[in-house]
Amino acid sequence: MQQQKIIILDFGSQTTQLIGRRVRELDTFCEILPYNRMPLDDPSIIGVILSGSPYSVYDPEAFQVDLSQIRGKYPILGICYGAQYMSHKLGGRVEPAGSREYGRQNLTTIDRENPLFRGFHPGSQVWMSHGDTITAIPTGFHCIASTETVRYAAYQAGGGERLWGVQFHPEVFHSVEGSLLLKNFVVDICGSRQDWSADSFVDATVAEIRQQVGNDRVILGLSGGVDSSVCAVLINRAIGQRLTCIFVNHGMLRKNEFSDVMHDYKCLGLNVVGVDASEKFLGDLAGVVDPEQKRKIIGRDFVEVFNAEAKKITDARWLAQGTIYPDRIESLNITGKVIKSHHNVGGLPKEMNLQLCEPLKWLFKDEVRRVGRSLGMPEHLITRHPFPGPGLAVRILGDITRDKVRILQEADDIYIRALKQYKTRLSGEEARRVLAAGVPIDMKDGDIEVSLYDQIWQAGVTLLSNVRSVGVMGDERTYEHPIALRAVTSTDAMTADWARLPYDFMANVSNEIINKVKGVNRVCYDISSKPPSTIEWE
Ligand code: XMP
């Protein structure tokens, strides 16, 4: 049976990816495409969603789409700009709102007979974020919801046409019944069979990989992270020992990470070559201070070391990569500026003539984790926090030495262990959110206990090796380095907030680090969000 899909046309909103995640949570496959890349004549499409946008429909640069390509062919839902755009193009009126409408509002009238609002409660809370507002809808359209200040909070086209617009954002958490609205659209209106699940993905993908690579040999670079690990286990399930994995130690991994992860991989039955190239990387990085320069050297050395190993596998025809969907979504980057060059792994030499195999390329991070569970992988590999490719190199401010790496590894190890040990009880909405993310839990009296580690997206320590501060230990004056602890909550690393860690936890971690890690006499906690800061300091 053909895989059904929803198309989300992206007009550059910050929440477009979130729409995609919500649709996937309904066990329905979806693709996010730039607004002007609507596929023509794809029978697997069952509906189209138009996203929001930073532009006003009147901006000269505003993104335009040819509605005749989709109108009448598929059910359509326009969200915010998507709703304004359709109203504007089809004969309604859009004007600047008196003031920018931002935040929670309640729907004061709702047509609960309308299929889009089936099951809604009176006064349902929605999230608004718009500068323009629809002041007249096209002739024949009906208003199906309003708030106190927004007359046309939702509309449907006339004559039963399956075209809707909503001024609010059903995809964000603060629209309390937003998921219900999307379910009404995706399942009831578009007719999704809801058969996109981790198990069905594994079955279909294993079969696909077997067909794709036949009897060929495949090479894959492992990083210890969840994406490449899940990718390896999935391919291993399809072709067994014909997959060779290469895991390079660049000397700036976490404490014992190389040996621990190699052990995990062996237990999973993977065919892994571990290459310890720490000397080369640390040698080439000696004296380098500039973050971008560090990334370039690590990227170059990585390609060299990886290639030397890959070339030994003379009959390989495929290169597998754990690329996931957010890495590929061609987001509409309005500013077009590069902040950090993250993609530090360059291409393999052309003469190797390898084809790409990217079995996770349609998945969001939480889906990769679900696939990992479906494959029976150990929980600690699946819930592992993201870790930057250049590793601790971008967490040492200043030049990199073995001694600084050791200091950072020790402090990081204490911090991460403590985050895993400290559990807090969650209930209500918070518990629901954590459960939805599928983190491991211990049930106690209806509440759940979750470690701090599992409540946050990513944590780590940065060594301010170019700064010294005075301290006192016993009767001795110390003059050593500060470290900064970082812990952030996020769903995709595009934006992040600093985690509100409990004070007693921070006090214990600070004591333990200063007492045990020689070279550190001060511990700070980083309380900046992204934007305007970034997750890593470099
Ligand atoms: P920033 O610091 O840009 O980080 O907020 C966002 C996410 O990307 C990770 N990161 C990197 N990952 N190579 C990588 O593979 C890099 O050079 C790199 N720099 C940052 C970071 O850990 C966070 O998850």
Side-chain angles (χ1 to χ4, degrees):
M1 204 181 289
Q2 195 166 32
Q3 174 79 63
Q4 297 177 313
K5 66 179 163 203
I6 296 277
I7 296 293
I8 299 163
L9 291 182
D10 181 18
F11 291 85
S13 163
Q14 294 234 341
T15 58
T16 305
Q17 278 206 34
L18 208 48
I19 305 174
R21 291 167 54 86
R22 295 283 171 266
V23 174
R24 295 281 182 91
E25 280 164 19
L26 294 164
D27 300 328
T28 304
F29 183 65
C30 63
E31 271 182 51
I32 299 174
L33 297 171
Y35 67 98
N36 54 1
R37 305 267 179 82
M38 179 67 202
L40 300 175
D41 304 322
D42 178 346
S44 59
I45 298 171
I46 56 169
V48 178
I49 298 178
L50 310 185
S51 83
S53 171
Y55 289 124
S56 151
V57 294
Y58 292 112
D59 278 331
E61 312 89 32
F63 299 133
Q64 312 280 334
V65 61
D66 179 2
L67 290 173
S68 69
Q69 284 182 350
I70 48 176
R71 222 181 141 192
K73 290 191 188 154
Y74 314 105
I76 305 172
L77 174 66
I79 294 177
C80 194
Y81 175 90
Q84 293 172 1
Y85 183 81
M86 290 195 293
S87 177
H88 171 67
K89 284 285 164 189
L90 302 175
R93 201 166 53 239
V94 174
E95 292 176 87
S99 60
R100 200 177 148 70
E101 284 167 337
Y102 183 82
R104 296 177 177 84
Q105 289 201 21
N106 295 90
L107 295 177
T108 44
T109 61
I110 309 174
D111 176 359
R112 293 197 289 150
E113 299 291 305
N114 192 285
L116 196 65
F117 286 115
R118 198 164 291 146
F120 262 62
H121 291 89
S124 189
Q125 176 186 296
V126 294
W127 180 261
M128 295 282 184
S129 174
H130 56 112
D132 286 352
T133 195
I134 300 168
T135 50
I137 49 178
T139 315
F141 280 35
H142 328 282
C143 174
I144 54 171
S146 311
T147 72
E148 224 157 63
T149 52
V150 180
R151 166 95 182 87
Y152 299 106
Y155 64 74
Q156 183 181 4
E161 183 181 342
R162 296 192 305 164
L163 179 152
W164 287 263
V166 291
Q167 180 57 78
F168 53 89
H169 287 271
E171 69 279 18
V172 308
F173 180 68
H174 301 291
S175 287
V176 174
E177 292 179 309
S179 295
L180 176 61
L181 185 145
L182 289 170
K183 176 167 182 283
N184 287 341
F185 180 71
V186 169
V187 181
D188 297 347
I189 295 172
C190 299
S192 163
R193 289 188 300 266
Q194 296 190 278
D195 52 8
W196 168 262
S197 68
D199 291 348
S200 69
F201 173 84
V202 170
D203 292 345
T205 311
V206 163
E208 230 167 75
I209 295 170
R210 284 187 185 140
Q211 215 202 354
Q212 190 183 27
V213 309
N215 289 324
D216 294 345
R217 184 169 284 285
V218 180
I219 308 176
L220 179 144
L222 283 170
S223 69
V226 57
D227 302 342
S228 63
S229 304
V230 170
C231 185
V233 175
L234 191 59
I235 299 178
N236 175 264
R237 174 149 318 171
I239 63 164
Q241 299 298 304
R242 277 184 289 121
L243 168 70
T244 306
C245 305
I246 300 172
F247 182 23
V248 177
N249 181 6
H250 55 31
M252 288 151 299
L253 296 172
R254 295 194 136 117
K255 186 177 172 184
N256 299 332
E257 188 167 15
F258 187 61
S259 51
D260 289 354
V261 173
M262 279 299 285
H263 175 76
D264 282 336
Y265 286 152
K266 294 257 157 80
C267 291
L268 283 165
L270 297 178
N271 170 15
V272 197
V273 181
V275 190
D276 189 347
S278 319
E279 291 295 335
K280 174 179 173 61
F281 282 85
L282 289 168
D284 290 348
L285 283 166
V288 178
V289 171
D290 177 67
E292 284 301 286
Q293 194 61 25
K294 287 180 186 172
R295 281 193 171 81
K296 283 211 178 82
I297 292 170
I298 293 170
R300 187 200 62 202
D301 282 4
F302 185 90
V303 171
E304 251 180 72
V305 174
F306 188 86
N307 286 354
E309 274 321 306
K311 275 186 177 164
K312 293 181 192 162
I313 307 159
T314 48
D315 56 343
R317 294 283 166 270
W318 296 83
L319 175 73
Q321 285 183 342
T323 318
I324 68 170
Y325 198 33
D327 302 334
R328 301 170 47 242
I329 296 179
E330 215 182 310
S331 306
L332 301 167
N333 184 347
I334 308 289
T335 64
K337 288 190 186 126
V338 173
I339 311 292
K340 293 180 190 180
S341 54
H342 285 189
H343 296 283
N344 42 31
V345 180
L348 287 168
K350 286 227 166 43
E351 73 266 18
M352 286 187 72
N353 213 4
L354 296 175
Q355 301 182 70
L356 263 192
C357 170
E358 297 179 309
L360 307 181
K361 67 181 179 192
W362 292 111
L363 303 190
F364 289 102
K365 194 86 173 180
D366 53 330
E367 293 174 319
V368 174
R369 293 193 160 123
R370 257 178 259 151
V371 167
R373 287 192 183 98
S374 164
L375 288 164
M377 290 171 64
E379 204 56 43
H380 68 270
L381 266 185
I382 294 173
T383 51
R384 190 166 260 243
H385 287 171
F387 186 65
L392 302 179
V394 291
R395 294 185 181 167
I396 294 174
L397 271 55
D399 67 322
I400 298 164
T401 63
R402 266 195 187 279
D403 198 43
K404 290 180 188 176
V405 172
R406 181 202 51 81
I407 292 175
L408 190 50
Q409 281 177 334
E410 294 299 331
D412 179 80
D413 187 54
I414 292 172
Y415 182 42
I416 299 294
R417 269 173 203 276
L419 286 166
K420 287 183 175 166
Q421 272 161 16
Y422 195 106
K423 301 202 169 187
T424 60
R425 267 182 188 222
L426 303 178
S427 55
E429 201 45 50
E430 249 189 320
R432 199 182 63 80
R433 183 180 54 75
V434 172
L435 279 170
V439 302
I441 49 154
D442 298 328
M443 290 299 289
K444 291 245 168 79
D445 312 327
D447 290 351
I448 57 170
E449 284 213 332
V450 186
S451 70
L452 291 177
Y453 185 87
D454 283 332
Q455 292 177 49
I456 58 186
W457 166 266
Q458 185 171 2
V461 179
T462 297
L463 176 67
L464 280 61
S465 84
N466 42 6
V467 177
R468 275 169 190 264
S469 81
V470 174
V472 55
M473 244 186 162
D475 296 331
E476 298 281 319
R477 173 189 191 271
T478 59
Y479 190 49
E480 295 175 332
H481 303 298
I483 56 152
L485 307 179
R486 184 91 163 120
V488 295
T489 54
S490 178
T491 49
D492 52 12
M494 299 288 288
T495 62
D497 195 9
W498 57 279
R500 275 51 169 179
L501 297 179
Y503 281 173
D504 61 331
F505 168 83
M506 293 207 271
N508 289 337
V509 169
S510 167
N511 275 344
E512 193 176 341
I513 290 177
I514 293 176
N515 286 331
K516 291 192 181 157
V517 184
K518 197 164 174 317
V520 175
N521 67 349
R522 197 169 291 270
V523 174
C524 309
Y525 186 56
D526 181 348
I527 53 166
S528 9
S529 323
K530 173 182 181 178
S533 300
T534 51
I535 296 177
E536 306 293 347
W537 280 47
E538 285 200 336

